[in-house]
């Protein structure tokens, strides 16, 4: 139990915060839907329920992926977060389907909803809370990639670098972006439906929200399917390659692989050195490189191999190609 608690403390905090906030939001929306029968509110309730379950599983998966390797699983549990996310998107997919179906039925049989003020109030509060979680996910994104920003720069830089964030952080960012946008869309649909004869607006909003949820499902599935298979990270390859070539005794870097498993990176590289150096000198180079690479955020282990310098600049040729 103590080990489990220690692992949970290392789980993705933005996912836990998002799950907690969305749990509260889904309850509020569900109560509002019960009293108003508003279809856009139903869509948002399903959306928030899906996000709650999804982000809770993300938090659990990100925590369990930190478990130390065992004899049975010597490579560790890094990819577990990707497997959990693949399972979690099924929940969102089901919610998205129900949301679209309900919206379609409302378009076929439009009806004026009741409780206008309740709907507007709940949706407005939800958008504010979702925006808070989204902003937290933006800051977590910048923390993951090691970028500093302040004020409005946080928004711009997080959008720019979200593709390099941890899988869990990326999912929370994506889901809460859709949730915030979906909340605003539902709010506009309720207002249009109340003040105009166009009662189809709520059904249309429900369908659009469902489609946005399917977009999250597709994006998350593709990203984490690659993670389960073991995906090379080109950005980290180039970054670590540049660090390695800063060493004065490294002549070239013909081979480097940076494999991303969950939140961790596994680095394997071959460096070319002067063939006349001693074993002790080669060992010093190896220790130096390992120490430098392991300081990079997320790097779990490093394997360094040696070859003699062939006087062909493989690294520069690789970058050109």
């Amino acid at each position: 139990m103590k080990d489990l608690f220690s692992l949970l403390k290392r789980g993705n905090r933005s996912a836990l915060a998002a799950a907690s906030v969305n749990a509260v939001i889904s309850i509020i929306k569900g109560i509002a839907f019960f009293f108003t029968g508003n279809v856009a509110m139903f869509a948002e309730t399903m959306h928030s329920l899906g996000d709650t379950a999804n982000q809770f599983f993300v938090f659990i998966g990100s925590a369990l992926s930190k478990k130390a390797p065992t004899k049975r699983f010597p490579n560790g549990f890094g990819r577990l977060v990707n497997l959990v996310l693949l399972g979690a998107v099924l929940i969102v997919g089901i919610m998205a389907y129900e949301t679209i179906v309900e919206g379609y039925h409302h378009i076929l049989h439009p009806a004026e909803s009741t409780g206008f003020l309740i709907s507007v109030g709940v949706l407005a509060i939800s958008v504010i809370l979702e925006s808070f979680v989204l902003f937290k996910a933006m800051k977590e994104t910048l923390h993951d990639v090691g970028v500093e920003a302040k004020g409005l720069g946080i928004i711009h830089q997080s959008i720019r670098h979200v593709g390099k964030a941890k899988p869990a952080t990326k999912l929370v960012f994506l889901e809460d972006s859709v949730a915030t946008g979906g909340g605003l869309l539902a709010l506009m649909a309720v207002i249009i439906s109340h003040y105009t004869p166009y009662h189809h607006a709520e059904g249309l909003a429900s369908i659009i929200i469902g489609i946005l949820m399917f977009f999250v499902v597709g994006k998350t599935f593709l990203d984490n399917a690659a993670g389960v298979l073991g995906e090379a990270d080109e950005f980290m390859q180039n970054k670590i390659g540049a660090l390695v070539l800063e060493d004065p005794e490294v002549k070239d870097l013909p081979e480097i692989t940076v494999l991303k498993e969950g939140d961790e990176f596994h680095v394997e590289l071959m460096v070319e050195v002067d063939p006349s150096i001693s074993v002790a000198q080669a060992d010093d180079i190896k220790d130096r490189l390992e120490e430098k690479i392991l300081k990079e955020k997320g790097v779990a282990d490093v394997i360094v191999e040696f070859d003699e310098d062939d006087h062909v600049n493989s690294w520069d040729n690789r970058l050109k190609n």
Side-chain angles (χ1 to χ4, degrees):
M1 183 63 70
K2 185 178 179 181
D3 291 341
L4 178 60
F5 183 71
S6 298
L7 284 173
L8 291 177
K9 288 198 297 184
R10 299 171 63 189
N12 188 278
R13 294 182 180 180
S14 62
L16 179 60
S20 302
V21 172
N22 275 306
V24 174
I25 291 174
S26 62
I27 293 171
I28 295 172
K29 288 177 179 177
I31 294 172
F33 169 68
F34 178 79
F35 285 107
T36 65
N38 189 294
V39 176
M41 186 66 71
F42 171 82
E44 280 297 290
T45 302
M46 298 296 280
H47 191 177
S48 294
L49 281 172
D51 286 353
T52 300
N54 208 357
Q55 290 157 355
F56 178 74
F57 283 126
V58 168
F59 168 71
I60 297 298
S62 66
L64 295 181
S65 69
K66 305 293 193 305
K67 183 176 171 61
T70 63
K71 289 183 179 180
R72 185 177 180 185
F73 301 101
N75 292 327
F77 298 82
R79 300 189 193 187
L80 184 60
V81 65
N82 300 111
L83 287 170
V84 170
L85 287 172
L86 284 177
V89 295
L90 294 176
I91 298 173
V92 182
I94 294 171
M95 299 291 186
Y97 171 77
E98 292 295 333
T99 300
I100 291 174
V101 169
E102 189 66 25
Y104 175 72
H105 288 161
H106 186 78
I107 289 176
L108 292 180
H109 308 287
E112 185 176 359
S113 302
T114 59
F116 171 72
L117 292 179
I118 294 176
S119 298
V120 169
V122 168
L123 289 172
I125 293 171
S126 299
V127 168
I128 292 171
L129 293 175
E130 294 284 7
S131 299
F132 169 77
V133 176
L134 176 58
F135 189 70
K136 184 175 177 60
M138 287 179 174
K139 292 197 290 186
E140 187 77 15
T141 296
L142 297 182
H143 179 265
D144 285 355
V145 299
V147 174
E148 294 185 3
K150 295 181 180 180
L152 294 177
I154 294 175
I155 299 174
H156 170 70
Q157 292 296 332
S158 62
I159 294 173
R160 180 181 175 187
H161 293 95
V162 66
K164 301 169 188 172
K166 295 177 181 179
T169 305
K170 190 189 302 184
L171 177 62
V172 173
F173 184 102
L174 186 60
E175 283 191 335
D176 280 288
S177 296
V178 172
T180 303
L184 290 171
L185 182 63
L187 184 59
M188 288 189 292
V190 169
I191 294 172
I192 291 172
S193 179
H194 181 75
Y195 287 108
T196 73
Y198 189 67
H199 302 309
H200 301 80
E202 292 177 14
L204 182 61
S206 182
I207 290 175
I208 294 174
I209 291 169
I211 292 172
L212 290 174
M213 292 168 70
F214 268 125
F215 169 76
V216 173
V217 169
K219 177 66 176 168
T220 304
F221 178 83
L222 292 175
D223 285 350
N224 288 280
V228 168
L229 294 173
E231 183 180 21
D233 192 295
E234 187 173 355
F235 173 78
M236 286 296 288
Q237 283 180 353
N238 293 334
K239 185 177 182 180
I240 292 174
L243 283 176
V244 169
L245 290 171
E246 288 177 358
D247 191 292
E249 294 191 79
V250 173
K251 305 300 181 183
D252 194 16
L253 180 61
E255 295 180 20
I256 179 170
T257 301
V258 180
L259 191 66
K260 186 173 184 179
E261 292 188 349
D263 297 339
E264 296 180 341
F265 296 101
H266 303 275
V267 182
E268 295 184 19
L269 56 107
M270 177 179 287
V271 296
E272 291 184 357
V273 296
D274 190 323
S276 64
I277 66 172
S278 66
V279 173
Q281 288 175 306
D283 193 53
D284 289 341
I285 296 171
K286 176 177 177 292
D287 291 342
R288 231 171 22 238
L289 294 179
E290 286 181 350
E291 183 181 2
K292 182 181 290 188
I293 295 170
L294 285 170
K295 288 181 180 178
E296 287 297 307
K297 191 176 182 66
V299 175
D301 53 69
V302 182
I303 297 175
V304 180
E305 297 179 357
F306 291 94
D307 197 4
E308 65 179 65
D309 184 15
D310 61 4
H311 304 288
V312 176
N313 199 325
S314 303
W315 178 256
D316 286 347
N317 291 336
R318 171 182 173 273
L319 292 179
K320 289 176 184 177
N321 295 329

